[in-house]
Amino acid sequence: MQETLFQYLLRLGDDSLILGQRLSEWCGHGPILEEDIALTNISLDLIGQATSILKYASEIENKGRDEDKLAFMRFENEYLNTLLVEQPNGHFGDTILRQFFFDAFRKPLYERLTQSKDKQLSAIAEKSLKETRYHLKHSSEWVIRLGDGTEESHDKIQKSVENLMRYTSELFYEDKVDLDLQQKGLVCSLKDVKQEWDKTVRAVFHEATLKFPDNNWSFDGGRQGRHSEHMGYILADMQYMQRAYPNMKW
Amino acid sequence: MVESTYIWDLLEEVSDPEVPVLSVVDLGVVREVSIQDEQVYITITPTYSGCPAMKTMEDDIRKKLAEHQVKKVIIETVLSPAWTTDWLSENGRYKLKEYGIAPPENEVDKSVLFSEPTRVPCPKCDSTNTRMISQFGSTACKAHYQCNSCKEPYDYFKCLK
Ligand SMILES: [Zn+2]
């Protein structure tokens, strides 16, 4: 088994899976019908991407754990998603800003992964990129609308910025997993992705009249399986059926 | 001996569960059909990653073929090249409009923020005085529009490239 590729795919797949799960919590609770539908559509795209990625991870691991087993039967410390995606939905502005930070990261990442020497990874990236462009446009426009909206909406989303910015540097975390695969030409450097992320965030914040926080305090740990207190609750919700009735189908 | 043209004809009778006027062939989801030693191989590709209709389409394809005594079928899902609305057949576009869904316009506007949404003529009265309500509609592949002339709310099968 290519251990590093497996780890990389879990990082990619778990980001999609956990954010997809989080967004699905909005189903029936959106502030307006159109946004209820938009958030759940995006959730569905992300869970679909997670399915493709974890399916490929399962083939690489080759131990008989399929994508559903990987999604529903791992323990918390085996999930390698970033802390950003597991943060609570909060209000609509919190959710939109979390989504914007994530989309602005995923778009340049997928653009580069389409060039991967790994055919399956590049196919997944090509497919997902088309969807991610729609997501980024949606989240960017909302960040601008809220930031440059009323005084109240501005203050609220500026607070979201203070809260969520500290989870963003982890998106660009690199270790031996990345370096090994970069050498083989399978994945891209996250430094370029970070540059593009900075550019996107700066441009949108400018339009939205939002400020970067003064301190640059940041958290990490998700890529090593060390999660925030929110993760256990997500898994309890997500895994309940498979834990209570193992191998049940519906 | 089964011919692949016969399989294609049968696939024309399998409809998209979410847009039943379209067949899986009109939709461009079936990419390839080949036959080797009585074994039928069908390659399909998803429209959107999370499209919940894919599994149903696969089951419906098996069922349709089985009804015609074609039982040795292997269906493979491929992601590349990624599905695009360009693969929607001419016939499919016509059927969509008749059904009340505006077919994809040949342009994707998604890079520029707050850009004018794509002009999509109303499928009922052909007016171009229409507006986008939401980029995300009743399914992943559709956006939600309304006609300013006849007031009809309608789905737009959005362009994906
Ligand atoms: Zn009309």
Side-chain angles (χ1 to χ4, degrees):
Chain A
M1 189 212 353
Q2 298 155 273
E3 178 61 32
T4 50
L5 182 57
F6 179 64
Q7 295 287 320
Y8 187 89
L9 291 169
L10 288 186
R11 291 174 180 185
L12 197 65
D14 288 346
D15 272 355
S16 303
L17 177 69
I18 299 301
L19 187 55
Q21 173 73 17
R22 265 291 185 230
L23 285 177
S24 74
E25 293 168 15
W26 275 102
C27 189
H29 300 274
I32 48 170
L33 183 60
E34 287 77 12
E35 282 314 303
D36 197 293
I37 292 170
L39 293 174
T40 43
N41 260 290
I42 295 168
S43 164
L44 200 57
D45 283 344
L46 287 168
I47 290 172
Q49 294 173 15
T51 309
S52 304
I53 299 165
L54 294 180
K55 185 164 185 245
Y56 185 39
S58 135
E59 287 165 24
I60 295 294
E61 188 192 38
N62 199 17
K63 284 187 187 161
R65 288 200 285 184
D66 66 6
E67 64 272 28
D68 287 335
K69 283 240 159 50
L70 285 175
F72 296 119
M73 301 301 272
R74 276 180 294 154
F75 291 108
E76 181 178 320
N77 60 2
E78 296 170 292
Y79 283 82
L80 303 182
N81 54 281
T82 55
L83 302 180
L84 176 71
V85 299
E86 69 197 42
Q87 294 311 301
N89 285 339
H91 54 65
F92 181 69
D94 290 324
T95 293
I96 283 296
L97 186 75
R98 182 187 64 198
Q99 192 64 34
F100 169 64
F101 283 157
F102 184 76
D103 296 338
F105 157 68
R106 265 298 167 88
K107 179 176 158 280
L109 178 65
Y110 278 143
E111 279 168 350
R112 285 161 180 78
L113 290 181
T114 58
Q115 307 299 318
S116 171
K117 283 187 191 162
D118 183 305
K119 285 225 166 59
Q120 187 59 17
L121 185 55
S122 107
I124 292 170
E126 184 196 348
K127 177 91 211 145
S128 309
L129 175 60
K130 297 182 181 194
E131 297 158 1
T132 305
R133 287 201 190 109
Y134 274 114
H135 302 171
L136 178 60
K137 183 168 196 274
H138 173 259
S139 57
S140 305
E141 290 182 355
W142 269 111
V143 169
I144 295 171
R145 245 185 233 120
L146 295 173
D148 192 25
T150 64
E151 202 176 316
E152 184 184 352
S153 73
H154 173 88
D155 290 350
K156 275 180 138 174
I157 197 164
Q158 181 65 52
K159 282 209 181 73
S160 314
V161 173
E162 315 286 334
N163 175 35
L164 290 172
M165 188 61 89
R166 56 196 165 155
Y167 298 106
T168 57
S169 64
E170 193 192 16
L171 294 170
F172 311 100
Y173 171 88
E174 284 182 323
D175 63 11
K176 60 179 193 323
V177 169
D178 301 80
L179 300 179
D180 175 57
L181 298 172
Q182 284 170 21
Q183 270 172 7
K184 295 176 179 152
L186 301 188
V187 309
C188 60
S189 154
L190 292 178
K191 291 187 186 67
D192 303 346
V193 176
K194 168 88 166 95
Q195 270 182 5
E196 198 160 320
W197 184 88
D198 279 337
K199 222 168 82 183
T200 309
V201 173
R202 258 171 228 294
V204 168
F205 272 25
H206 179 74
E207 289 283 316
T209 70
L210 290 172
K211 286 200 312 277
F212 282 80
D214 293 331
N215 68 49
N216 51 8
W217 175 254
S218 70
F219 288 116
D220 61 18
R223 294 296 190 218
Q224 288 80 36
R226 291 194 313 273
H227 293 281
S228 63
E229 68 273 29
H230 308 295
M231 187 68 179
Y233 294 95
I234 300 176
L235 295 185
D237 209 11
M238 195 176 87
Q239 297 186 335
Y240 174 77
M241 291 302 269
Q242 280 301 321
R243 295 289 185 192
Y245 307 95
N247 300 319
M248 63 89 66
K249 289 212 190 299
W250 117 44
Chain B
M1 177 65 193
V2 182
E3 297 280 339
S4 66
T5 49
Y6 175 66
I7 303 292
W8 279 105
D9 287 345
L10 291 178
L11 292 175
E12 287 276 8
E13 296 170 23
V14 179
S15 56
D16 172 349
E18 282 175 344
V19 190
V21 284
L22 291 185
S23 76
V24 291
V25 177
D26 293 327
L27 192 61
V29 155
V30 179
R31 301 315 300 158
E32 218 181 301
V33 174
S34 66
I35 298 162
Q36 268 174 22
D37 308 328
E38 317 258 306
Q39 176 75 61
V40 178
Y41 296 88
I42 299 175
T43 308
I44 58 174
T45 191
T47 50
Y48 284 74
S49 297
C51 178
M54 288 311 293
K55 184 73 181 86
T56 312
M57 285 189 217
E58 201 181 314
D59 293 345
D60 290 351
I61 289 174
R62 282 184 202 286
K63 209 169 121 207
K64 173 62 75 180
L65 295 185
E67 281 166 15
H68 293 81
Q69 313 313 320
V70 182
K71 287 182 178 152
K72 287 177 71 183
V73 182
I74 292 179
I75 301 178
E76 195 199 355
T77 302
V78 296
L79 296 178
S80 178
W83 183 82
T84 142
T85 34
D86 290 346
W87 293 350
L88 201 67
S89 69
E90 266 312 306
N91 193 24
R93 297 176 60 89
Y94 174 77
K95 286 198 267 185
L96 271 181
K97 182 164 185 287
E98 289 295 296
Y99 189 60
I101 298 176
E105 295 292 311
N106 198 20
E107 62 173 299
V108 242
D109 69 311
K110 52 202 168 192
S111 51
V112 189
L113 299 180
F114 294 113
S115 54
E116 267 294 287
T118 313
R119 285 263 159 226
V120 179
C122 169
K124 290 282 178 227
C125 74
D126 293 314
S127 165
T128 49
N129 180 17
T130 63
R131 67 195 173 104
M132 187 179 77
I133 306 281
S134 173
Q135 190 64 261
F136 297 88
S138 56
T139 63
C141 53
K142 298 191 225 100
H144 191 196
Y145 272 69
Q146 186 173 20
C147 176
N148 293 329
S149 302
C150 76
K151 306 298 178 208
E152 176 81 2
Y154 59 94
D155 276 332
Y156 164 54
F157 204 103
K158 67 190 178 198
C159 193
L160 192 73
K161 289 191 184 217

